[in-house]
Amino acid sequence: MGKKPNLTGLSRFLPHDFLDPNAASLSEQSQNQSRPAKKRKTDTLGPIRTRYDATALVPHYSTTQEVPENLQKYFSQRKRYFSLYDQGCLLDEEGWYSVTPESIAVQIAERCRCDTILDPFCGVGGNAIAFAKTCEHVIALDISPIRLALARHNAAIYGVADRIEFILADYISFANAYLSRPHQTRRIDVVFLSPPWGGPGYISPSENHVSAADDNANLQDELEAHSQYSISRIQPIHGADLFRLTKRISDNIAYFLPRNTDLNEISALGLLEKDKSTTTNDESRMIEVEEEWMGSKLKALTCYFGGLVAGQEHVF
C-alpha cells in the first residue's frame, strides 16, 4: 500500500475538478502553500485543531440541562458516538441521531481496509474518522457545509484531518461525474454506503418521524418485531438504485442499513452481483450480513459485497 497523502481541509470544488488528475483541490493548494512536503504527525491540540475549529456552528453540550428535550436520549450515548466527545466533538441535530457509534465504525473500518475509500454520506464524520485509521485515502462527501465542517473539526480532534479529503457535493452528481470520466485515473477501491434512512422515526411502519413509541423502549422493540424496513425509504433515491449506481464505481461495497431491514430485499441486491464478465464456472457472488451489536442491543446491519465478503477476497 502507498503512503497516505497529506490531504487537509474542506475541499469545495465542482466534480470535474476531482476528475482532472492535474487539478488540485483546495486542500492540496492549502497544503502546497502552507505546509512542508515532509509528512508530520498531527497534534490534536495544536495548529490543525485550531485551524479547523467549528465551535461557532453548533453548541457543545456538557450537561443534560443544556440539551433540547428531543436530543437528551442521544446525549446520554455521547461517549459511545465519540469517545473523545469531552475534548470538543460537535454534532448537529441530524448528527445526534445518525452518527455511527464509534465501536461499530471501527469494526466496519477494519473490514474495509484499502487504498482509497469513498464515504458519500459522511455526516459529522464518525465513519470517516475510523476509515482514516485503516485506509490510505478517505474521500468524504456531504451536501451540508455545516456537517462537513463538523466532520473536519471532529477529525482534527482525533488527529486524522490530514488523511481525509472533504468534498461538499451530493453523491448522485458526484458518482455520475466520476463515471463519465474518459479514463479512470483515480480509482476508488471501496464505497461505504450509509445513506439517510428517513429520520429517527425510520423504525416505525408509519411515515411519521416521531411516534409515541420513541420514549418507550419496550413498545419500540415490539413495533420493530412486527415491521420491516424497506430500502425504498432510503434517501435520496431508492436503496436498490443507489446500490446499482455505486456498483458501477466499485464491486466492493459496505451497505449500512437499519437493523430491521427486509432481508429479502438485501438478497435481491445479490442479483446485481451476477456478472458474467467477472465470474467463471457459474461462480456466484455471496453477500455477508453482519449484525452490529452494542451490549444486548442490535443497532444496525452492515451488508458486505464483492471482495469485502469473508472468503471472497479474491474478487477485490
Side-chain angles (χ1 to χ4, degrees):
M1 298 174 71
K3 180 180 178 182
K4 290 186 178 182
N6 294 327
L7 297 173
T8 63
L10 172 61
S11 299
R12 183 171 184 171
F13 51 87
L14 296 175
H16 64 74
D17 291 327
F18 175 83
L19 309 179
D20 182 357
N22 298 317
S25 69
L26 293 184
S27 62
E28 292 169 320
Q29 294 170 7
S30 173
Q31 171 193 335
N32 293 335
Q33 294 171 1
S34 61
R35 292 188 169 219
K38 183 178 180 181
K39 184 177 179 181
R40 299 182 299 176
K41 292 183 178 180
T42 300
D43 181 359
T44 60
L45 299 178
I48 290 181
R49 179 170 175 179
T50 301
R51 182 180 180 185
Y52 301 147
D53 181 75
T55 53
L57 297 178
V58 296
H60 175 79
Y61 303 120
S62 299
T63 65
T64 305
Q65 291 71 26
E66 301 171 342
V67 184
E69 184 177 356
N70 66 315
L71 296 179
Q72 287 192 0
K73 65 178 180 180
Y74 304 109
F75 177 72
S76 65
Q77 305 292 318
R78 60 194 181 280
K79 293 292 188 65
R80 291 186 174 184
Y81 299 149
F82 290 109
S83 61
L84 301 184
Y85 178 84
D86 288 344
Q87 294 191 26
C89 289
L90 298 173
L91 302 89
D92 64 349
E93 181 170 343
E94 181 173 322
W96 278 108
Y97 62 74
S98 64
V99 66
T100 304
E102 185 172 304
S103 62
I104 294 177
V106 168
Q107 162 68 13
I108 295 171
E110 286 293 335
R111 294 289 306 270
C112 293
R113 285 181 176 272
C114 65
D115 287 332
T116 299
I117 187 167
L118 173 64
D119 181 0
F121 304 96
C122 75
V124 295
N127 289 102
I129 290 169
F131 290 137
K133 298 177 182 179
T134 63
C135 301
E136 294 294 312
H137 181 200
V138 182
I139 304 170
L141 275 59
D142 205 276
I143 60 173
S144 166
I146 290 179
R147 279 195 295 277
L148 211 59
L150 299 181
R152 183 181 62 179
H153 171 101
N154 295 333
I157 290 175
Y158 278 81
V160 296
D162 61 336
R163 305 172 197 175
I164 306 172
E165 185 175 6
F166 295 98
I167 302 176
L168 182 64
D170 77 273
Y171 176 50
I172 307 304
S173 298
F174 178 92
N176 287 326
Y178 178 85
L179 292 168
S180 68
R181 301 171 307 159
H183 303 289
Q184 294 188 0
T185 54
R186 301 183 69 178
R187 177 184 174 185
I188 293 173
D189 301 298
V190 174
V191 181
F192 172 69
L193 287 178
S194 181
W197 295 345
Y202 75 87
I203 207 168
S204 170
S206 72
E207 293 301 319
N208 296 327
H209 282 232
V210 180
S211 70
D214 286 342
D215 296 323
N216 187 319
N218 293 330
L219 183 54
Q220 187 171 359
D221 288 342
E222 184 178 348
L223 269 175
E224 181 182 358
H226 296 88
S227 66
Q228 288 185 319
Y229 179 87
S230 171
I231 60 175
S232 65
R233 297 178 61 188
I234 282 175
Q235 300 170 0
I237 60 176
H238 192 295
D241 293 332
L242 188 68
F243 178 84
R244 187 177 293 106
L245 174 64
T246 301
K247 195 173 184 300
R248 294 174 59 198
I249 295 175
S250 174
D251 285 337
N252 308 311
I253 301 170
Y255 210 156
F256 193 65
L257 294 167
R259 57 193 175 186
N260 59 326
T261 300
D262 187 344
L263 293 180
N264 290 322
E265 293 188 352
I266 296 174
S267 179
L269 296 177
L271 296 176
L272 299 175
E273 289 288 88
K274 294 182 178 180
D275 185 344
K276 294 181 180 179
S277 66
T278 58
T279 59
T280 58
N281 300 324
D282 296 325
E283 175 187 2
S284 61
R285 294 282 182 89
M286 302 297 293
I287 304 172
E288 182 178 355
V289 180
E290 181 177 80
E291 296 181 337
E292 308 297 357
W293 290 80
M294 292 190 66
S296 61
K297 286 288 186 180
L298 176 61
K299 294 295 185 179
L301 304 176
T302 306
C303 305
Y304 295 101
F305 299 84
L308 298 179
V309 176
Q312 200 168 270
E313 294 84 358
H314 62 284
V315 302
F316 190 91

